[in-house]
Amino acid sequence: MGENRQKVKYVHSSFKINLNDNTIVEESNEPVGAEWGFDFSPFESVVEDPDDDGKSFKSHFDVIGFVVKCLPSEDKTEHNNGKDEKKIYVTLWVVYADQIIEFQKNHKDEKNVVVVVQFGKYRFWGGNLFVSNLYTVTRVFINTEIPEILEFKKSFLTQLNTSTSSGYSGLSSPVMKSMAEEYLSDISFSTIGELSEISEQKFVIILETIKSFASEDSWFYNACKTCNKKVLTNTICKDKEDGSQGYDEVTVFECQTDRCNKRTVVSVPRIKLLTRVQDCTGIVTLTLFEREVVRLLNVNANQLLDNNMEM
């Protein structure tokens, strides 16, 4: 047994078990708690988080609920019988997104879809709760035959059958839109020439051709592993480790977020690619970050750097 000093603790315990090369592990046939170890928190307990600053994701969060919409949407004003619904917006990345897309393809007629996100990060901002699978240990369960999901579905459907005023109508079909449907149907496009006339922050969709890359600028930057903001290097003097007189010059990373500098800043390379694009109304420079480039090339900055050390 040892003290658990990890920033993210997946159980409510200040201790952890260390398994060594001589540790003997035996299977237990006695019940020792919940099989999956879920720790669901009431919605109100998250909203009333006294440490919530609305600026960063917090560790870890288990959430269970019905999927009512799987579309990118800015509509957050829906009401249920005159009352604001308790909504949780869940963002699933990479294999987790593939997981729910694959489920939808194989269960197109399924109306009651229950999802559990375990070990997700959460953020409460703008009156809404956002959950994201920012950990590699995150697990997603979709209509799995496990007691927690079966009990949740049974309880909710029982309430639904006894209440004629419920506004719940199940998961709309189709759940997912193809890329063509998402960007080419009922979408208002903007031209490059119109961008200069925009006076307030908003999302726009433009269609143009990539003409060149800004080769004079670096295609990646060193990012803080915690907040993804650019980190700078700073040289400081430290006492010599051997206790002798004098100082050693040590290069350390400094993040632009003060909160991150309270601990050791870890740097990772992230893609930041400047592209010059053109349509019939003009030319503009757009920035592609790692997420977009990975979708196009299936390779991240670390992999590119490992394969091109001579660069």
Side-chain angles (χ1 to χ4, degrees):
M1 296 286 291
E3 183 181 358
N4 185 2
R5 298 181 179 179
Q6 291 180 306
K7 181 178 68 173
V8 178
K9 295 180 174 62
Y10 300 105
V11 294
H12 296 294
S13 174
S14 57
F15 298 97
K16 63 179 180 180
I17 298 176
N18 297 309
L19 302 182
N20 304 314
D21 55 1
N22 61 344
T23 300
I24 298 176
V25 180
E26 296 180 354
E27 181 180 1
S28 172
N29 295 320
E30 298 295 327
V32 291
E35 180 179 0
W36 299 102
F38 296 133
D39 184 16
F40 300 119
S41 300
F43 186 88
E44 289 77 9
S45 69
V46 180
V47 175
E48 297 172 357
D49 182 358
D51 298 323
D52 178 27
D53 57 11
K55 297 179 181 178
S56 62
F57 282 93
K58 299 166 181 58
S59 63
H60 71 279
F61 186 75
D62 295 355
V63 60
I64 184 171
F66 275 97
V67 179
V68 295
K69 186 178 294 186
C70 280
L71 297 173
S73 173
E74 292 301 309
D75 181 14
K76 300 174 183 176
T77 59
E78 297 175 15
H79 295 274
N80 183 18
N81 296 326
K83 295 183 178 180
D84 291 335
E85 293 179 340
K86 295 179 179 178
K87 295 182 180 179
I88 298 178
Y89 295 86
V90 177
T91 303
L92 300 178
W93 301 94
V94 200
V95 295
Y96 304 99
D98 294 338
Q99 185 177 341
I100 197 167
I101 290 174
E102 185 66 23
F103 178 88
Q104 187 271 331
K105 289 180 179 178
N106 297 328
H107 304 81
K108 292 185 177 181
D109 297 327
E110 179 61 61
K111 292 291 184 181
N112 302 306
V113 180
V114 176
V115 169
V116 173
V117 179
Q118 188 178 29
F119 304 141
K121 275 193 170 185
Y122 72 92
R123 172 185 177 187
F124 190 80
W125 180 76
N128 297 284
L129 177 63
F130 295 85
V131 179
S132 182
N133 60 289
L134 301 181
Y135 294 122
T136 56
V137 297
T138 301
R139 294 193 294 188
V140 176
F141 302 83
I142 307 172
N143 267 17
T144 312
E145 296 294 316
I146 57 178
E148 286 83 356
I149 286 184
L150 295 176
E151 182 62 28
F152 183 87
K153 182 180 292 188
K154 178 181 177 182
S155 174
F156 185 86
L157 294 180
T158 299
Q159 296 178 29
L160 185 64
N161 291 332
T162 57
S163 174
T164 59
S165 61
S166 174
Y168 180 76
S169 59
L171 188 59
S172 58
S173 181
V175 180
M176 291 292 179
K177 287 186 179 180
S178 67
M179 187 170 294
E181 291 173 328
E182 182 176 340
Y183 288 107
L184 300 180
S185 300
D186 301 323
I187 289 295
S188 176
F189 284 85
S190 301
T191 64
I192 290 177
E194 294 172 338
L195 298 182
S196 60
E197 301 174 1
I198 298 175
S199 59
E200 60 183 16
Q201 181 175 321
K202 62 183 295 187
F203 290 99
V204 297
I205 297 179
I206 58 177
L207 178 64
E208 72 289 308
T209 302
I210 295 178
K211 304 299 291 186
S212 65
F213 297 97
S215 57
E216 67 273 12
D217 295 299
S218 176
W219 56 271
F220 75 97
Y221 69 103
N222 290 316
C224 173
K225 195 172 184 180
T226 301
C227 69
N228 268 340
K229 289 189 177 181
K230 184 177 181 179
V231 299
L232 304 175
T233 57
N234 186 26
T235 302
I236 62 175
C237 294
K238 296 183 65 175
D239 293 332
K240 291 189 175 182
E241 294 184 358
D242 58 9
S244 61
Q245 293 184 346
Y247 300 92
D248 287 330
E249 290 189 348
V250 180
T251 300
V252 297
F253 291 114
E254 290 186 352
C255 180
Q256 299 178 44
T257 304
D258 293 336
R259 181 177 59 255
C260 298
N261 290 322
K262 294 179 180 179
R263 50 184 178 271
T264 302
V265 176
V266 179
S267 171
V268 292
R270 299 292 190 206
I271 293 174
K272 182 181 180 181
L273 189 62
L274 299 182
T275 63
R276 292 195 174 94
V277 299
Q278 177 181 345
D279 66 8
C280 60
T281 66
I283 299 176
V284 70
T285 299
L286 300 182
T287 304
L288 299 180
F289 287 96
E290 179 130 332
R291 182 178 65 184
E292 290 78 23
V293 176
V294 169
R295 290 177 61 183
L296 294 172
L297 304 181
N298 292 321
V299 62
N300 58 33
N302 256 329
Q303 294 167 323
L304 286 173
L305 289 170
D306 289 342
N307 295 332
N308 299 277
M309 290 303 295
E310 67 277 6
M311 297 176 59

